[in-house]
Amino acid sequence: MVFDTKIAIVLREDLPVWQKLNVTAFLTSGIVAQFPEIIGEPYRDRAGNLYNPMSIQPVIVLSADAATLGTIHRRALERGVTTSAYVEEMFSTGHDVANRAVFAEFAPDDARIVGIALRGDKKLVDKITKGARMHG
């Protein structure tokens, strides 16, 4: 199956692995909330056990330094692309209300973005995420 759109998650390269995984999970949930149509049918194994449905579309995970993440954030805003974004200060909170409160303390010019996710036309996503590398 070929998709006209692309889902990309860009993580700050210097995060510990546990933070990269945590941020990826949170950012992915934002993409799913924005585009619920990307969720397929439930999975079922041969024994008949039912499993949760998952995304029908692949997700690319990239990494970048803090400056490049800031540029990616700015490009997305300039192009009107709604993203999922995670700021460094959210690591010190423990629930959704606190996450949103700390997020609201920053503007694009001073937010310390540690991860950003977006879905859009392939070419547009490539332009926005230019400078990020495949996560390795």
Side-chain angles (χ1 to χ4, degrees):
M1 184 177 236
V2 177
F3 294 94
D4 295 333
T5 59
K6 181 183 247 184
I7 299 171
I9 298 174
V10 186
L11 304 170
R12 199 176 73 197
E13 62 192 6
D14 64 343
L15 295 178
V17 172
W18 76 267
Q19 287 181 336
K20 289 178 182 179
L21 295 170
N22 180 270
V23 171
T24 299
F26 273 98
L27 295 176
T28 301
S29 70
I31 295 297
V32 172
Q34 185 182 9
F35 301 101
E37 69 273 13
I38 69 170
I39 299 302
E41 296 297 319
Y43 284 70
R44 188 176 302 275
D45 67 18
R46 190 178 66 207
N49 298 302
L50 191 64
Y51 299 85
N52 290 328
M54 293 187 278
S55 175
I56 62 171
Q57 185 171 2
V59 177
I60 186 170
V61 180
L62 306 167
S63 64
D65 60 26
T68 303
L69 258 173
T71 299
I72 290 167
H73 183 210
R74 179 183 47 76
R75 287 180 191 146
L77 290 171
E78 288 171 352
R79 289 166 172 84
V81 175
T82 302
T83 64
S84 301
Y86 199 103
V87 295
E88 187 170 326
E89 290 74 12
M90 289 166 66
F91 289 126
S92 65
T93 63
H95 55 86
D96 182 57
V97 173
N99 281 346
R100 284 185 281 113
V102 76
F103 190 92
E105 293 177 12
F106 300 93
D109 60 337
D110 65 353
R112 294 189 299 178
I113 301 288
V114 297
I116 194 164
L118 62 151
R119 179 179 185 250
D121 175 80
K122 283 182 181 181
K123 290 180 182 178
L124 178 60
V125 170
D126 287 343
K127 286 179 184 177
I128 292 171
T129 60
K130 185 179 179 181
R133 302 170 298 292
M134 287 296 290
H135 189 274

